Amino acid sequence: MSFKRDKKEEEDGNGNPFQNLEKTSVLQEARTFNETPVNAKKCIHILTKILYLINQGESLGTREATECFFAMTKLFQSKDLVLRRMVYLGIKELSTIAEDVIIVTSSLTKDMTGREDLYRAPAIRASFSITDPTMLQAVECYMKQCIVDRNPSVSSGALVSSLHLSSQSGAGDVVKRWANEAQEALNSDNIMVQYHALGLLNHIRRNDRLAVAKLVNKLIGQSMKSPYAVCYLIRIGSKIIEEDYANGTTTISDTHFLEFVESCLRHKSEMVIYEAAHAIVNLKRTSARELAPAVSILQLFCGSSKATLRFAAVRTMNKVAILYPAAVAAFNMDLEGLIADSNRSVATLAITTLLKTGTESSVERLMKQIATFVAEISDEFKVVVVQAIRTLCTKFPRKHSILMNFLSAMLREEGGLDYKTSIVDTIILIIEENPDAKESGLSHLCEFIEDCEHTSLAVRILHLLGKEGPHSKNPSKYIRFVYNRVILENATVRAAAVSAMAQFGASCPDLLNNVTVLLGRCQMDIDDEVRDRATYYLTILNSSNPSLWKNYISSNDQLVSLSLLEKTLKEHLNGALTETFDLSLVPKTAPTPTVTEDAHNDAMITTNSIQKTPRVTREEVNVERLLQIPGIQRLGPLHKSSPSVQLTESETEYTVSCIKHCFAQHVVLQFDCVNTLSDQLLENVRVDLLLPEGFIVRHVIPCAKLIYGEKESTYVILEYPGDVASSSATFGATLKFIVKDCDPTTGLPDSDEGYDDEYMLEDFEITVADQIQKTKLNNFVVAWDAADSEEWVELEDTYQLSAVNTLQDAVHTIIKFLGLGPANATEKVAEETHTHTLLCSGVFRGGAEVLLRAKLALADGVTMQLTVRSTDTEVAEIVSSAIG
Amino acid sequence: MVFEKLFMKILNKERKPKQISILIIGLNNSGKSTIVNFFKNKDVRKSVSIPTIGFNIEHFENQGVSFTAYDMAGIGRYRNLWEHHFKTCNGIVFVIDSSDRMRLVVVKDELDLLLQHPDLKRRRVPILFFANKMDCIDALSSVKIAAGLNLEKVDNKPWQICSSNALSGEGLQNGVHWLTSQIKECVLTPPDKEVYD
């Protein structure tokens, strides 16, 4: 991605003749088209300008485009070959903007069926861009002829146009009728025609899995000439296999197909070989036996003289490194050769792959090598390198000092915000996960903020300093850095620095005096926010009341969702203001996951895909809907919302899915219903539950009207049973409603008379996980040790987990069953170990904290020693019994 | 040198056949494409014509004048596209199906719209009417059609009506002959411009 941009910049430097085009003047020039006789040379130049503008993202208004389009139609009178082909391109570009484009239909049809082969293919493509499905009937016979035409470019053009057309609504059925012709084109000698024919055939059958499988099986038998078609075949096939694998079924044709892919590794075209290797690597069911030949092919490609092949190979290797580190480890030597590659992107990928597979001993050497070229690569690649280092940190905690030094060196260099942010993220991650690295990490960050141009980063680091600094060996050291910010920076950073200083004051009694003096000076600040904060903290610190300090300064455990707090406050202000605002009504939310999700991105070389949208937790979204239920406030804040569970098959008359909203003593079941019958109107829709013992229905909110195709919700509010032990249970459910037949087009009921009907839903469960909100503890060990006291209950038991075969599976299962949040990155199991300890934590509804330690050992299945600590006996019991 | 070049240029311009664009319009199924087809060389003629969608461009020559004919679609929904060419055309051929008595009123409507169009109203553009399909048994005579369309009211444009049979070619040459001479007169020799011929 980035080279492209670089290249473009270079071109710009050389003076792009079209650089300073202006839309209005070009459109003015387009009037030349109306002149007779046509000046072909001039018109070609003007058309080029128009196309350039459109492709640069300039938008034409409907009137402008229409005017231009009609002027262009005049150019059909010229017999100039090049001009005519430019006109085709113009038609294609303008067809979506201009009106009445249909006017050129006959002109194009004439060219399509004419004798000039040079016109025919582009005319077909242009003609399809203006054809709407209603006119398709008229051109159908031409198309059928064109698809099987002897001229390959005509045939290709027709096939590709049909493919585009068939994704338009209403045209699909017509295109389906051309399958026989496409089948015939599949036997063409031309490589492109064959490829396009396969594409069209697959597209026509895409909704019919069996038909696609049949097609693939048939084609595997014949050896196709076109390497493109073979590549495409491999892709279609892998998709089928992947779907089968996901459904848990393996058919004979799958095995058959896998053999075909393996045989493609010996194909004579490099493209096919690579595609086959790529497919094997990406298939989830691939075993070591199948992987080996694919990896050796990739290894071979690494030594190729073509940069594209090397890039592709290394990139796939990178993927392999994540999935099967052991398989790549053997080829580290080849990869190391590529570090010095003249192509920087190949080199970067090689390095990051090596970092993923490398051993602890090689880290130092690799870091040295990276250092030599890191300055030469673009920011995007630097981020990739940083992400690789991040994974390395979690893998080899002992190497933190080398990595940290390297990162801080990178921090000092020039770079954009994204790049700096990813470095700071990484350092913070190291500090959080590795207590040994804390001191050095903090001092690197301190150094960084001394000269940091990014406000957002400075604020984050100051916050971190305030949190971690007071607990370090020498807190006073950090105060200097923090106070420097107050003197030198902008208002936002100064405010953050004031907060950070207050933290020191609250947590380190011996520094209190110094901090109050410094805060006193901040009261003179010119910015309101800074002064307010200084005054606020100073007052609390001067109160000499440690409990106040703890609650209002040093305790960071504000779990209230800020966006929801803002919303409820606004609503409160708009209301009658007769009641006082109750903070406890605002739902607490789980901390949003920070870096763990991004870690998957690092396989990609493009980092543009990182989402910038603010993360909103499921709870925040749901609260808005739930607040519309009258009286919902009485249940207290929302504790947790479960993901949606389907209670029906996806293609039935009515589809229903259920979301469980858990409150302290109640659960709100939200049933999202969709009516897929266009001739029915449902009224008074509700869900009738078969309750297990102990649960009480408090309220049912039916859905008054369920119109065809619209999603509506009905709610049931249940109270949990008194004893926690019976709160996880299975429910039977039936959808009940009144049916009224209605006119499918208008949706109006035929009569007011309806009849009662019901529809069986699948059973669903309320599990322990539904009642636990995960928490993210920064330091699990401290919390765990602190829980070894009177107020906490500890339960311990040993289990045999027979259903899982690997440690990673076991970890996933535990987290899924309990809904707890893993701590200290223990959710990732290192490769080739036989023991693992999973640490996780959460809060049960009602506020009881849960800490869990699971020691896992692998030997004929997984054995687990589970230790649960909780503030509530019953909760501890239910958690430990949930696994068994 | 320079003068010689200039002279050659003038000479070339003189020899080049004149480029004239004419517009062929009329209701659908009146025989426009068939008429155009007749003027093309024998080897490129089509045996069957299908309803035109949008328009077709054809080239033919007559009496040393080179014509670019815009054969427009006559189907109702495309008639509004005619006006895009009014501004640039040098002559209009209006084809009428003389056996279609029912739709003669529609023809009159379209013709009135055309004559009132701002791009044509003040221009002296020759209009040739073909009362086509004269071989049909119940065909109206050209005189009756002219009366039906109130053609005598058209005073600022030269016009002519010819009975024709596009299938056999009867009457076509006469009509086009008239059109060519009219165009030569009012387009190629405008009073305020220099004359080369």
Side-chain angles (χ1 to χ4, degrees), chain A residues 51 96 111 165 229 240 252 360 414 475 521 550 593 631 637 665 769 821:
Chain A
L51 291 178
T96 46
D111 288 350
L165 201 67
I240 299 177
I252 304 165
E360 196 156 359
E414 289 292 304
R521 284 189 207 160
K550 189 164 173 292
Q665 294 305 328

Side-chain angles (χ1 to χ4, degrees), chain A residues 342-618:
Chain A
S342 56
N343 187 320
R344 278 298 163 223
S345 19
V346 173
T348 315
L349 273 174
I351 274 272
T352 47
T353 313
L354 278 174
L355 287 177
K356 276 178 202 140
T357 57
T359 51
E360 196 156 359
S361 56
S362 65
V363 168
E364 260 165 271
R365 198 160 42 86
L366 285 174
M367 294 316 283
K368 238 178 237 159
Q369 269 172 315
I370 300 179
T372 57
F373 75 91
V374 79
E376 298 165 32
I377 56 179
S378 66
D379 266 16
E380 280 98 335
F381 283 109
K382 282 182 188 165
V383 172
V384 175
V385 172
V386 172
Q387 279 167 350
I389 294 177
R390 180 186 300 172
T391 41
L392 213 58
C393 292
T394 39
K395 213 164 134 196
F396 306 120
R398 271 185 293 165
K399 289 288 171 193
H400 68 84
S401 65
I402 302 169
L403 298 171
M404 195 76 95
N405 280 332
F406 183 76
L407 286 174
S408 69
M410 283 173 97
L411 259 185
R412 276 192 291 273
E413 273 158 33
E414 289 292 304
L417 177 62
D418 282 344
Y419 167 53
K420 292 280 163 82
T421 312
S422 78
I423 298 178
V424 171
D425 277 342
T426 309
I427 295 185
I428 293 178
L429 192 81
I430 300 175
I431 292 174
E432 279 175 357
E433 289 185 356
N434 194 341
D436 301 334
K438 190 172 283 179
E439 296 277 333
S440 66
L442 284 180
S443 60
H444 283 308
L445 289 177
C446 282
E447 227 167 83
F448 173 59
I449 54 169
E450 284 288 303
D451 183 22
C452 170
E453 57 199 310
H454 306 294
T455 304
S456 61
L457 281 183
V459 169
R460 269 186 71 185
I461 293 170
L462 282 169
H463 177 74
L464 184 79
L465 282 178
K467 213 170 65 179
E468 302 285 350
H471 308 289
S472 62
K473 276 180 217 129
N474 188 2
S476 62
K477 174 169 104 182
Y478 300 109
I479 295 223
R480 181 172 62 87
F481 289 105
V482 176
Y483 189 67
N484 277 349
R485 298 302 100 217
V486 175
I487 305 170
L488 298 168
E489 289 283 359
N490 63 31
T492 319
V493 179
R494 289 204 302 273
V498 166
S499 302
M501 273 197 298
Q503 301 278 349
F504 282 94
S507 310
C508 314
D510 38 331
L511 289 174
L512 182 60
N513 277 334
N514 303 350
V515 170
T516 42
V517 171
L518 292 178
L519 283 179
R521 284 189 207 160
C522 295
Q523 282 182 301
M524 306 296 169
D525 200 280
I526 46 167
D527 186 79
D528 289 347
E529 173 72 22
V530 181
R531 273 200 314 275
D532 288 353
R533 285 197 191 194
T535 317
Y536 167 75
Y537 288 123
L538 207 56
T539 321
I540 294 176
L541 287 176
N542 284 337
S543 69
S544 319
N545 180 350
S547 77
L548 274 184
W549 297 356
K550 189 164 173 292
N551 286 342
Y552 292 102
I553 302 181
S554 51
S555 115
N556 284 318
D557 309 331
Q558 56 94 0
L559 283 167
V560 177
S561 150
L562 287 180
S563 61
L564 284 178
L565 177 63
E566 185 189 356
K567 198 172 144 50
T568 25
L569 276 173
K570 266 186 194 156
E571 269 166 23
H572 181 74
L573 285 176
N574 289 335
L577 290 177
T578 45
E579 291 167 36
T580 48
F581 183 74
D582 186 359
L583 189 63
S584 66
L585 283 185
V586 182
K588 296 190 165 72
T589 54
T592 47
T594 46
V595 281
T596 41
E597 280 178 18
D598 294 346
H600 301 294
N601 276 337
D602 59 3
M604 308 294 287
I605 199 75
T606 49
T607 45
N608 313 15
S609 57
I610 292 177
Q611 293 169 349
K612 296 275 182 203
T613 48
R615 265 187 248 270
V616 184
T617 57
R618 212 158 45 222

Side-chain angles (χ1 to χ4, degrees), chain A residues 9 66 96 130 152 168 193 212 227 235 261 289 295 327 339 398 424 434 481 579 587 619 660-661 684 725 780 790 798:
Chain A
E9 277 159 14
T66 312
T96 46
I130 58 156
Q168 269 182 38
V193 174
V212 175
R235 287 194 187 177
V261 175
R289 193 181 59 81
V295 172
I339 295 177
R398 271 185 293 165
V424 171
N434 194 341
F481 289 105
E579 291 167 36
E619 282 75 11
K660 293 159 272 185
H661 304 286
N684 195 19
F780 185 85
E790 290 290 306
T798 311

Side-chain angles (χ1 to χ4, degrees), chain A residues 74 77 102-103 106-107 110, chain B residues 53-55 57 59 70 85:
Chain A
K74 305 273 166 65
Q77 57 178 296
I102 217 107
I103 191 173
S106 269
S107 313
K110 198 176 132 203
Chain B
I53 302 170
F55 69 98
I57 295 182
H59 301 272
Y70 289 87
H85 297 270

